[in-house]
Amino acid sequence: MNLVLLGPPGAGKGTLAARLVEEFGLVHLSTGDILREEVARGSKLGKLAEDYMDRGELVPDEVILGMVQERVDGETDGFLFDGFPRTIAQAEGLERILPVHLVVYLDLPEEEVVRRLSARRVCKQCGANYNLLTQPPGVPGKCDRCGGELYQRPDDREEVIRNRFRVYLEQSAPLVGYYEKKGLLRRVDASLSPDEIFRKVAEVLRG
Ligand code: AP5
């Protein structure tokens, strides 16, 4: 089974992915996480991607497809794609690499996206996600898990969040119809709690 998580920024793709990976043993492939690691390492790819990411624009398709192909490394099963594909060209490229069996579409309106992402904080050390509104850390600014420092992603400023949402509508939302036509899409209301969302998706995966 290969699963794709589709949805606007802040819909909860990363949060759901962490639970699904734990429960179903899938290999988590988040293009956003990979790109942030490359930026942190100061690699050539990271330097190329950083400007796009800081503006909330998409990194070019051929760069993303090359990166995914390298990570998949000839395996054809057991992947959970988070934040990929994000354009029709990426979806077509993915089909040349391996088959997609299910696409979970997490749907969330713009104002809720802005509210959630403005309040997101991430641990610099272990990458754990917090939310000042719904899931605050026990000690302000510190990770409950590892004590690391919490930071705000540079693309979680309101003007960048709004641009990411606009880019999502223009370039990624057409994937909803694309996968619906193939009979692969399951819609989930992303305004539900993380537990409810996980329960609904887990039911689908267990068949
Ligand atoms: P990426 O890292 O993929 O960002 P994104 O898609 O914008 O997604 P986010 O990580 O912001 O949100 P999420 O849906 O994972 O939500 P999360 O679970 O964190 O991409 C970043 C950039 O990299 C892009 O802008 C682009 O430049 C580049 N890029 C990446 N992939 C690319 C590609 N394929 N092609 C081209 N460019 C690419 O949750 C958000 C917050 O809400 C958290 O605080 C969380 O605690 C909270 N939360 C989660 N679920 C719930 C819930 N159910 N109820 C209440 N709060 C919740």
Side-chain angles (χ1 to χ4, degrees):
M1 157 76 83
N2 294 312
L3 174 65
V4 166
L5 298 185
L6 175 66
K13 302 181 293 294
T15 302
L16 174 63
R19 301 271 304 263
L20 292 175
V21 162
E22 206 180 298
E23 181 76 14
F24 295 97
L26 297 161
V27 176
H28 186 199
L29 219 155
S30 157
T31 43
D33 286 351
I34 297 169
L35 290 170
R36 276 183 292 279
E37 279 161 25
E38 295 289 341
V39 170
R41 286 201 300 123
S43 70
K44 200 172 149 201
L45 169 58
K47 286 194 178 108
L48 183 149
E50 193 169 15
D51 266 3
Y52 291 98
M53 296 173 81
D54 285 351
R55 283 183 278 124
E57 304 287 334
L58 295 186
V59 174
D61 289 335
E62 58 280 11
V63 174
I64 297 290
L65 282 166
M67 201 173 88
V68 169
Q69 185 137 31
E70 197 180 294
R71 300 293 190 295
V72 163
D73 194 25
E75 296 293 324
T76 55
D77 199 27
F79 289 97
L80 192 170
F81 294 102
D82 163 4
F84 169 85
R86 257 175 150 99
T87 62
I88 300 283
Q90 289 182 19
E92 289 170 348
L94 176 59
E95 274 158 32
R96 290 192 288 273
I97 301 174
L98 49 73
V100 171
H101 302 102
L102 178 70
V103 178
V104 172
Y105 166 42
L106 295 172
D107 191 12
L108 198 67
E110 179 171 359
E111 287 317 311
E112 184 58 20
V113 163
V114 173
R115 203 177 76 91
R116 271 191 198 176
L117 288 183
S118 309
R120 171 167 58 187
R121 296 295 181 272
V122 183
C123 175
K124 258 188 186 161
Q125 221 159 278
C126 73
N129 248 293
Y130 294 87
N131 194 285
L132 301 182
L133 301 173
T134 54
Q135 206 200 331
V139 178
K142 288 252 176 289
C143 179
D144 294 346
R145 248 199 252 165
C146 72
E149 189 191 330
L150 302 187
Y151 81 109
Q152 184 171 29
R153 269 171 47 174
D155 58 349
D156 278 349
R157 285 173 292 120
E158 181 170 345
E159 71 274 19
V160 185
I161 299 170
R162 291 203 186 269
N163 192 40
R164 286 160 66 195
F165 194 82
R166 189 185 57 74
V167 167
Y168 166 78
L169 289 182
E170 281 175 15
Q171 301 191 49
S172 307
L175 288 167
V176 173
Y178 178 87
Y179 283 122
E180 208 157 37
K181 271 197 206 123
K182 290 178 184 286
L184 297 174
L185 197 85
R186 295 284 184 289
R187 276 169 203 266
V188 178
D189 176 2
S191 64
L192 297 171
S193 73
D195 281 350
E196 284 170 298
I197 294 173
F198 172 72
R199 196 173 42 73
K200 280 178 185 284
V201 176
E203 256 171 39
V204 175
L205 286 177
R206 291 191 186 108

